[in-house]
Amino acid sequence: MTALEPRDGTDAAHLAPPATDAPSPDPLSDLPAAAVEGVLGRTYRALSIGIVSVVFLIAFEATAVGTAMPVAARELNGIPLYAFAFSAYFTTSLFAMVLSGQWADRRGPLQPLATGITAFGVGLLLSGAATSMWVFIAGRAVQGLGGGLVIVALYVVIGRAYPEHIRPAILAAFAASWVIPSVVGPLASGTVTEQLGWRWVFVGIPVLIVIPLALALPAIRRTASGPAATEPYDRRRIRLALGISAGAGLLQYAGQELNWLALLPAAVGAALLVPAVRGLLPTGTVRAARGLPSVVLLRGIAAGSFIAAESFVPLMLVTQRGLSPTMAGLSLAVGGATWALGSFVQSRPRMEPHRERLMVTGMLLVAASIAVAPSVLIEGVPVWIVAVAWAFGCFGMGMVIASTSVLLLKLSAPEEAGSNSAALQISDGLSNVLLLASGGAAFAALGGGAVGAAAHGAVQAGAAGSHPGAFAAVFLPMAGVALVGVWVATRVLVREK
């Protein structure tokens, strides 16, 4: 699943009104009722249900579309472009994240959230109606624009509407909203794909957009609307956002072409990408400076390595082990529950002093799960090994992703909510693009483009499309990247001198 956690940026001190001068035996009695309520208390109930519904929709899309993707790519003769179908989403979302941060800080999160949900639905319809792989990829790109707008706006909502002490709980609720889609999504998507065709998976999901719109937008208007920043839009950041999206796209294209002519777009992409990254991410991110820079870097390492590997799991199981799309998707279904469990664990108040240790443990689990998954390329290894490995990996991701969100919110001032949220998601999205590009290039170089070609339109590819080395070249390097994340996780907290 794609890793969707929201961000914010306000501090509890900015949310609670000053206490009265009268003494009180209860330290909480001077606070308004909203300050001591949980996420489902009367003050926050409508907002919590609304924004969790938005995440539920995105989760259902991610799990359902991932299951249908191998069949869609094969029918559209697009297996060589398989990685593009995922990375196009992340490439365009990079620009949308920066725009959403600027937009939300200056106009409030309501407009970017509504616009993002609408674009998300339009992209699904475009992909569902595609008659070629490039049109399909264009639809995924439109989805990315919508997704980038939505995720940053959600973080700003959390920063404005929720006090600091209950933010871990709402982040845990976000993770929990993946549980039902992770089980129902692959089953429903696989059944629809096999019985009606993959297109219905895409064109059917936009119907669900009405529910989050009806629930979330009125609550956000009441609790988190209005500007927090007075300065005009930072046009430099927007130009850098365009540069980072264009640069990432050119590098992805060059990685897929694998010829000498591809060096030109690769060079242009790098020239656009490097200054954009330096300008949009906190100073010290690349060298893992302690504190906020390492939090942002760890988010990218965790999300990029895990999502790049996960994108190829259904294709591997369908083409190498002959599973149906339904069963291939269900092999990852238990991960939704363990991801939520990991997020729940980090949300417990008694775990706060151990947050760094949780993140280190989480990254070790992520690295181990990615390394174990390609063992099913050996015929004698049972396919359920992938389900078990991914369950542990998702548990680790639940702890790491939610913890990076909590730390970002803690380290961000209210007026920096949008820009810091955008930085976190840029790291997430850019890492996805670059690691998918490198994984896709390795996959294509070792014959992955021929996977399934001999069985066009069929559910099982069989031995004719067998290229196990191409899959191993994706998974094993991603496990190495995750191991780097173990070290970065030791640097997210600033040591007292």
Side-chain angles (χ1 to χ4, degrees), residues 66-71 74 186-187 189-191 193-194 314 318 322-331 458-460:
T67 302
M69 197 74 78
V71 177
R74 184 183 295 149
L187 180 61
S189 175
T191 301
T193 297
E194 294 172 25
V318 169
L323 269 65
S324 68
T326 302
M327 294 306 299
L330 285 174
S331 68
V459 173
Q460 296 183 357

Side-chain angles (χ1 to χ4, degrees), residues 105-184:
D105 282 345
R106 288 155 182 80
R107 298 292 182 89
L110 187 64
Q111 291 181 5
L113 183 62
T115 304
I117 292 175
T118 302
F120 195 78
V122 171
L124 282 167
L125 293 174
L126 182 59
S127 290
T131 56
S132 71
M133 192 61 178
W134 282 113
V135 175
F136 181 88
I137 291 170
R140 294 285 292 166
V142 175
Q143 276 184 259
L145 287 171
L149 290 172
V150 167
I151 188 58
V152 173
L154 284 177
Y155 272 87
V156 175
V157 168
I158 290 178
R160 294 189 181 192
Y162 294 91
E164 185 176 349
H165 71 279
I166 63 173
R167 290 175 193 160
I170 191 64
L171 291 172
F174 275 30
S177 68
W178 280 82
V179 175
I180 294 177
S182 67
V183 176
V184 176

Side-chain angles (χ1 to χ4, degrees), residues 83-97 137 140-145 148 241-253 273 426 428-434 436-437:
F84 265 130
F86 292 94
S87 62
Y89 180 100
F90 298 113
T91 299
T92 55
S93 69
L94 292 171
F95 169 72
M97 289 168 189
I137 291 170
R140 294 285 292 166
V142 175
Q143 276 184 259
L145 287 171
L242 284 171
I244 205 171
S245 293
L250 287 169
L251 285 175
Q252 168 73 357
Y253 174 79
L273 200 61
I426 285 170
D428 187 316
L430 180 61
S431 180
N432 280 320
V433 172
L434 296 181
L436 274 167

Side-chain angles (χ1 to χ4, degrees), residues 189-208:
S189 175
T191 301
V192 170
T193 297
E194 294 172 25
Q195 301 300 322
L196 299 177
W198 63 268
R199 296 181 186 277
W200 287 99
V201 174
F202 288 84
V203 301
I205 292 175
V207 176
L208 301 176

